[in-house]
Amino acid sequence: MRIRIRGPSGQSTVTLDDSATIKELKTQIAEKTGLATFDVKYGYPLKPLELDSFQPNQRILEVGVHLNGESLIVAQKEGSTRGVSDDAPTAPTAPSQPSASQPPMSQVPHENTAEDPPEIPSPEHAGTFVLRVMPDDNSCLFRAVGAAVMGDMDTMVELRSIIAGAIQSNPTEYTAAILGKNPDEYCTWIQNEDSWGGAIELKILSEYFNIEICSIDVQTLNMFQFNEGRQRGIHYDVLALSPSPPPYTRANPLPHDDTKIFEAVDPVVLQKAKELCRVLQGKHYYTDTSGFTVRCNVCGGTFTGERGATKHAAETGHYDFGEAS
């Protein structure tokens, strides 16, 4: 049987024969993720796989869960020593466009920086910090987190499922007042590929993966840690450290050897991140959400800025917006 394992440092595939035991599976997970203790989830929507509830020598085929071809999402076990603290890893330091509150708007185009991404030399790390640009496809936040935490930006479905599962599991925290709509409706909405995330999603994903996520608003250079609140970014990219030779001014155009998870105690990372965002700011790599013209994709009405869109959403219940041409 073949099982894909997705952990904090990336993904891999293991092949086990039909006689493989739970102990062998746990050993493979530990080796592939580097985690001594871990929680495992699988399926769609995600549900826990309680490996400790089975006998170590029990065959995988006997546990009543079909794992052949399955993807296992692995995270540090809740409450273990590798918690979010002053020395916890941080990922991703993701430059975002300006924050905005509800309504959740469709992806807004911006100046393309993919052909000329900013590069910031970092002799301290023997490499170059570079912006890895995510596609403008309404899943840029999930792509940025997936690229940083799971080593794969094409994990949008799993990450959206994690969001929905967390909301369903915490009804007292994620109420209609917090979400802006009924929780069940929100869970259905966020799993739609056309829906884009923000502070709520970053908060949930940071807790799920047991990391600190920092997002920098390119327009204001404000930094949001854990992104608590109602902010919703227009676009998210991911900051990466690319190994490079002195004078560390030329990043590898390919992301194969990138580092996207950093120690929170390293002050240079945030310093370089803000330096890179200043370059983006100079390129006007953001959308001014207070002055741009917004179009309601439901009724066709046009409004000025996020305030106009928010007022229209409150009056009509229309939440599908985009930038008017």
Side-chain angles (χ1 to χ4, degrees):
M1 70 187 75
R2 291 172 58 86
I3 302 173
R4 174 178 288 186
I5 298 174
R6 300 182 185 273
S9 58
Q11 65 176 351
S12 58
T13 300
V14 299
T15 301
L16 299 168
D17 59 39
D18 290 345
S19 63
T21 64
I22 293 295
K23 181 180 179 180
E24 291 175 87
L25 176 59
K26 293 173 68 175
T27 299
Q28 286 289 331
I29 293 174
E31 289 179 356
K32 298 299 183 182
T33 64
L35 300 176
T37 58
F38 44 80
D39 290 320
V40 180
K41 293 187 179 182
Y42 74 102
Y44 181 80
L46 288 174
K47 45 189 174 290
L49 179 60
E50 303 289 355
L51 294 178
D52 291 338
S53 66
F54 303 113
Q55 293 296 322
N57 293 326
Q58 188 172 359
R59 293 171 61 209
I60 298 173
L61 295 179
E62 298 173 345
V63 302
V65 179
H66 182 71
L67 294 182
N68 185 31
E70 184 64 74
S71 291
L72 303 183
I73 310 299
V74 182
Q76 182 75 22
K77 182 175 285 294
E78 188 174 339
S80 60
T81 56
R82 188 187 167 191
V84 177
S85 62
D86 290 341
D87 59 352
T90 302
T93 307
S96 72
Q97 298 248 342
S99 300
S101 56
Q102 289 282 30
M105 293 179 245
S106 298
Q107 197 69 32
V108 180
H110 54 77
E111 179 183 345
N112 189 354
T113 308
E115 296 181 0
D116 185 26
E119 297 181 348
I120 303 298
S122 183
E124 299 91 337
H125 300 93
T128 306
F129 281 98
V130 62
L131 187 74
R132 297 302 187 193
V133 178
M134 300 293 109
D136 284 332
D137 62 355
N138 296 326
S139 288
C140 57
L141 179 149
F142 302 103
R143 289 185 181 276
V145 174
V149 179
M150 303 171 74
D152 184 357
M153 72 175 185
D154 295 323
T155 54
M156 300 86 70
V157 172
E158 290 105 320
L159 296 179
R160 290 179 183 277
S161 182
I162 288 171
I163 301 301
I167 291 172
Q168 292 170 343
S169 300
N170 297 278
T172 58
E173 179 176 3
Y174 298 108
T175 62
I178 295 296
L179 300 173
K181 59 178 67 177
N182 177 278
D184 289 339
E185 293 178 4
Y186 194 97
C187 290
T188 300
W189 172 79
I190 198 59
Q191 292 183 88
N192 187 310
E193 63 180 9
D194 293 326
S195 302
W196 53 288
I200 291 172
E201 286 69 34
L202 287 178
K203 176 179 181 295
I204 291 173
L205 292 175
S206 69
E207 293 172 350
Y208 180 85
F209 288 108
N210 207 19
I211 57 174
E212 177 180 347
I213 296 179
C214 298
S215 174
I216 299 177
D217 181 335
V218 172
Q219 185 177 18
T220 65
L221 297 183
N222 290 332
M223 183 176 70
F224 303 95
Q225 293 171 283
F226 296 100
N227 287 329
E228 296 176 349
R230 298 295 295 161
Q231 295 87 1
R232 185 174 294 275
I234 294 290
H235 180 80
Y236 291 84
D237 294 313
V238 63
L239 180 77
L241 175 65
S242 173
S244 61
Y248 311 109
T249 56
R250 182 69 64 180
N252 188 331
L254 300 177
H256 302 321
D257 297 322
D258 281 356
T259 297
K260 301 186 183 79
I261 298 180
F262 309 97
E263 294 297 329
V265 292
D266 185 349
V268 178
V269 174
L270 291 180
Q271 173 189 329
K272 299 294 182 180
K274 287 193 174 183
E275 187 177 343
L276 184 145
C277 285
R278 289 189 187 95
V279 177
L280 293 173
Q281 187 185 55
K283 292 175 176 286
H284 205 81
Y285 188 70
Y286 58 84
T287 300
D288 182 359
T289 56
S290 64
F292 72 150
T293 302
V294 182
R295 180 181 184 277
C296 176
N297 294 327
V298 178
C299 67
T302 57
F303 313 92
T304 300
E306 59 167 307
R307 289 190 178 181
T310 300
K311 182 174 183 293
H312 177 69
E315 293 173 347
T316 64
H318 297 170
Y319 287 96
D320 184 8
F321 292 84
E323 187 174 25
S325 58

